[in-house]
Amino acid sequence: LLAQNISLRRLDISDNDIRDISSLELEHSHVITELNLAGNHLSDEALTLFAQQLPYNRSLHRLNLQRNDFTT
């Protein structure tokens, strides 16, 4: 989804009942600076997979993960 993005800087997909964010391909996005994923149903597993993408992204400065289903 984000791999082909060349202009979108802020993405707010909060409160959309999203459970799987692997398709975001954040590791290939070099433009997004703010990402709001609050209020979805992201699990610990989804968070772990997402966190593995973060070291490859140098543009993201603000990330909102409030109100999800994390246990850790």
Side-chain angles (χ1 to χ4, degrees):
L1 175 71
L2 296 178
Q4 298 175 0
N5 171 47
I6 59 171
S7 61
L8 183 66
R9 303 233 185 261
R10 296 179 185 165
L11 180 59
D12 183 344
I13 49 177
S14 60
D15 300 307
N16 277 291
D17 199 27
I18 296 171
R19 297 171 190 272
D20 180 12
I21 54 175
S22 60
S23 62
L24 287 178
E25 298 178 349
L26 186 65
E27 72 270 25
H28 300 294
S29 172
H30 302 290
V31 191
I32 294 286
T33 60
E34 296 182 29
L35 180 58
N36 187 349
L37 295 168
N40 287 291
H41 294 280
L42 301 177
S43 65
D44 292 338
E45 181 181 348
L47 178 63
T48 299
L49 294 172
F50 183 74
Q52 292 172 351
Q53 297 178 26
L54 289 176
Y56 302 100
N57 181 293
R58 298 180 192 259
S59 63
L60 190 65
H61 293 283
R62 185 173 293 161
L63 175 62
N64 187 345
L65 293 171
Q66 296 175 335
R67 299 180 285 111
N68 277 287
D69 295 337
F70 307 135
T71 60
T72 56

